[in-house]
Amino acid sequence: MGWFLYLRFKIKMISRGKILWADDEIDFLKSHVLYLEEKGYEVLAVNSGEDAFENFKTNNIDLILLDEMMTGMDGIETLKKIKNIQPDIPIIMITKNEEEWLMEKAIASQISNYLIKPVNPTQIFMACKNILEKADIRSDHISKDYLSTYQSFNNYIQDANSLLDWFSIYDRLCDWTVKFDSFDDISLNNMLHQQFQDADKIFSQFISENYKDLVSKDETRKLFTPLTIKNNIQKDLEDGQKTVLIIMDCLRGDQWKSMSQSLFSDFKIKTNYQTSILPSTTFYSRNSIFSGLFPLELYNQNRKIYSKMLESESNYNKFEHELLKQQLDNMGLGKKSNNYIKVSSYEYGKTLTKNINNFKNIDLLCIVVNFIDILAHSRSESGVLKEVLTDEASYRDIIYSWIENSWFREVLNEMKNWNRRIYVTSDHGSIMAKKPIRIKAYKDVSSGVRYKMGRNIKVNDKYALRIPNPTDCMLPSFHMNENYLIALDNNFFVFPNNYNQYVKKYNNTFQHGGISMSELIVPISTLDPK
């Protein structure tokens, strides 16, 4: 047993990393080298830049400690030659020189840290540990934090009895999800995934049992997306403040958490949540945001527009600006200048970048961004995207990369100079559809795969919420015996005809319209310029 423990200790020592230390006075630093070796690092000590470069080429080095002032090839020159071979190798520059210009020169050469002599062994050890083990330390901390709160959080999920409870639960689950993206621990990821699924089932039951009451009571009705402008923007406009509302179609909470990491350097960001409506799809939810009305109210108060919208799918969201103007009129804000922009292509986004300052003096500028929704739908049509967007994590990665490099970031950068508050929200989220459910219905049934509206829809009700009296849930009904069928879990509806063809097309694709936290709970964030 003693020999086994010794081997484990030696393996752990070796695994901490291999360090190359170059200093022309390396003989005077033996105590420092011994200290690092006692801590488990393997150290190659050399006394010149030339030796450092040769050893670097012939050894697998994890980290380099580099003296700036050496005879022969100095530290800066050695650094450049090494970086030409391996740009990402971490290097700690050590120097007696405190001149700012030298620090800037070293930093420009992409060093990882900069230490001023004299340095003590503990200082060197901590600098090495920070670079070589930071990711593992963070992963261990995240893992311990998650496991330590796992049971109490499970109890909170089981006892949740309000929308505010579910906002908090979803926020925490999204936090863990994004944190877990940074390290690979299959067992913990599976544990979180199962906890998310279990929470989703309880949430779906909560919505199924309470949706009718939630949309009819004032204290809970205000938590739904049709009240977005009333809750967040009305007071700003009344106080004479100019604002921007950005609706990112199909944006989920976890995706926004990932995206917002790119924006913290420029904006103070505060994120709350609100609830999309049923069905959680663009036709219903985005028209409700712009009109400030639930679907039944919109139908009853503006049947002319509603009828035009139903004429074809291309009309579903054609009247959003008109609905916005009507909502502002109803608030007594009809004299406030407003504009509506919808961006559905890269080309139009670049055009908006060039022209965005033309809207600087508008009281309320509304921008609809369709990138995320288009990405989700395009995946089901493209084999290449299916290869790239394999799961939720890869979806977040693509969206983060997009916000870092897209026209959208350029627009936000310009808006930052306007010195006004920006609101970012979504009409609904999405979920990866995994389980095909056979249904039977008349041909005039709606086409969505996560919800159906029509007459005599036949399906096992354990797979969906059936709404037999749509008006009870603030939904319009146009025919006798017309039902809404809203998918639960990760189910999606498929007709028996061409069953295999549609299963192949929609399985493992991102869809919306159903009941899940990722579809219904959406972020509403304020961005204030720093």
Side-chain angles (χ1 to χ4, degrees), residues 139-154 172-173 176-177 179-180 183 187-196:
S139 296
D140 288 344
H141 178 76
I142 290 170
S143 300
K144 290 176 183 177
D145 194 17
Y146 175 69
L147 291 172
S148 68
T149 60
Y150 178 82
Q151 191 54 54
S152 61
F153 188 39
N154 260 354
R172 288 176 64 179
L173 287 170
W176 290 122
T177 299
K179 287 176 181 177
F180 279 23
F183 65 97
S187 60
L188 273 181
N189 272 286
N190 288 340
M191 195 172 178
L192 175 62
H193 179 69
Q194 187 60 54
Q195 189 174 44
F196 210 125

Side-chain angles (χ1 to χ4, degrees), residues 47-105:
N47 59 11
S48 70
E50 289 83 358
D51 285 347
F53 184 62
E54 290 305 317
N55 273 273
F56 170 73
K57 290 192 295 182
T58 56
N59 290 276
N60 292 321
I61 303 298
D62 298 306
L63 171 65
I64 298 173
L65 298 171
L66 198 58
D67 184 25
E68 182 262 324
M69 292 293 290
M70 291 185 289
T71 56
M73 193 161 71
D74 67 15
I76 295 293
E77 187 178 352
T78 305
L79 182 150
K80 289 179 179 177
K81 291 188 71 172
I82 289 172
K83 287 285 188 178
N84 282 337
I85 297 175
Q86 188 177 339
D88 62 342
I89 184 77
I91 296 177
I92 299 175
M93 183 71 76
I94 305 172
T95 182
K96 294 178 181 178
N97 196 332
E98 298 186 46
E99 292 290 336
E100 186 175 354
W101 68 267
L102 180 62
M103 293 182 187
E104 291 178 356
K105 188 174 182 180

Side-chain angles (χ1 to χ4, degrees), residues 308-420:
K308 288 180 180 178
M309 289 192 294
L310 292 177
E311 288 176 1
S312 70
E313 288 191 15
S314 63
N315 281 1
Y316 276 3
N317 297 94
K318 187 177 180 179
F319 303 96
E320 290 174 344
H321 193 193
E322 189 170 340
L323 293 174
L324 172 64
K325 291 176 180 177
Q326 290 182 6
Q327 181 176 183
L328 293 176
D329 281 339
N330 293 336
M331 291 177 172
L333 298 169
K335 293 183 179 180
K336 294 289 182 180
S337 60
N338 61 84
N339 215 311
Y340 166 93
I341 301 169
K342 182 177 177 181
V343 185
S344 298
S345 69
Y346 168 80
E347 291 77 13
Y348 192 80
K350 293 302 290 183
T351 300
L352 178 60
T353 303
K354 295 176 183 177
N355 299 324
I356 189 62
N357 283 314
N358 294 340
F359 304 99
K360 184 176 181 179
N361 295 317
I362 298 293
D363 292 316
L364 174 58
L365 175 62
C366 294
I367 304 176
V368 174
V369 181
N370 273 0
F371 171 79
I372 298 172
D373 187 54
I374 292 171
L375 184 64
H377 288 299
S378 298
R379 183 183 179 278
S380 63
E381 308 290 340
S382 168
V384 174
L385 281 178
K386 284 181 181 178
E387 290 285 334
V388 176
L389 294 172
T390 55
D391 54 19
E392 278 89 350
S394 59
Y395 203 6
R396 286 188 291 274
D397 284 342
I398 290 289
I399 293 170
Y400 179 85
S401 178
W402 171 76
I403 198 171
E404 279 277 275
N405 303 286
S406 71
W407 61 266
F408 181 68
R409 184 54 188 269
E410 294 181 53
V411 166
L412 286 180
N413 289 343
E414 286 297 325
M415 287 182 179
K416 179 185 174 183
N417 299 326
W418 297 359
N419 196 31
R420 73 190 60 179

Side-chain angles (χ1 to χ4, degrees), residues 19 33 41 85 102 125 129 134 136 142 207 210 268 274 278 306 314 348-349 366 379 444 487 503 513 526:
I19 298 170
V33 173
Y41 297 106
I85 297 175
L102 180 62
F125 166 62
K129 184 180 178 71
K134 179 166 59 177
D136 289 338
I142 290 170
I207 292 294
N210 296 287
K268 292 179 288 185
Q274 53 187 4
L278 295 181
Y306 210 100
S314 63
Y348 192 80
C366 294
R379 183 183 179 278
D444 61 352
V503 168
T526 57

Side-chain angles (χ1 to χ4, degrees), residues 457-482:
I457 307 173
K458 296 181 180 179
V459 69
N460 189 324
D461 282 358
K462 71 178 182 179
Y463 299 120
L465 167 66
R466 186 182 295 275
I467 304 177
N469 300 307
T471 56
D472 290 344
C473 294
M474 301 301 290
L475 291 165
S477 179
F478 307 104
H479 306 285
M480 288 284 291
N481 301 319
E482 190 167 61

Side-chain angles (χ1 to χ4, degrees), residues 1-15:
M1 177 63 74
W3 178 249
F4 174 71
L5 290 174
Y6 172 75
L7 283 177
R8 285 191 62 187
F9 174 73
K10 292 296 287 181
I11 290 170
K12 184 178 180 181
M13 295 267 285
I14 294 170
S15 68

